[in-house]
Amino acid sequence: DAAEHEWAGSARVRDVIATTGFPFEDAVIHTSVSIGVSRIDATFDKGYRDADKALYLAKRSGQNQVKTVDDLR
């Protein structure tokens, strides 16, 4: 299923970022990411707006979250 594939790819990106330390001066910085995923079926603008809504849902759900447009329903 395409939506599951999109989520899985985004989850891999999230996991790499969460497990990678970024050297900065004398420290290593660890970070997290929240990701909103959408499809561009009709228009780019609608896909962009849906991804933005999914991103804000991910942010409200906590750190290191991936949410898709399907989670908005």
Side-chain angles (χ1 to χ4, degrees):
D1 166 70
E4 193 171 306
H5 180 71
E6 295 159 354
W7 182 91
S10 297
R12 282 192 301 277
V13 170
R14 176 204 57 205
D15 292 344
V16 167
I17 291 171
T19 59
T20 301
F22 299 93
F24 179 73
E25 296 180 356
D26 293 333
V28 177
I29 297 172
H30 294 275
T31 188
S32 62
V33 64
S34 295
I35 301 172
V37 180
S38 177
R39 290 177 223 71
I40 300 177
D41 292 333
T43 67
F44 176 81
D45 288 341
K46 179 170 177 2
Y48 183 85
R49 283 192 308 271
D50 287 347
D52 192 52
K53 290 175 187 175
L55 171 61
Y56 280 93
L57 175 61
K59 288 180 176 186
R60 287 191 306 272
S61 299
Q63 289 185 327
N64 283 334
Q65 298 292 312
V66 175
K67 297 295 181 182
T68 68
V69 67
D70 295 336
D71 294 318
L72 297 170
R73 298 183 181 125

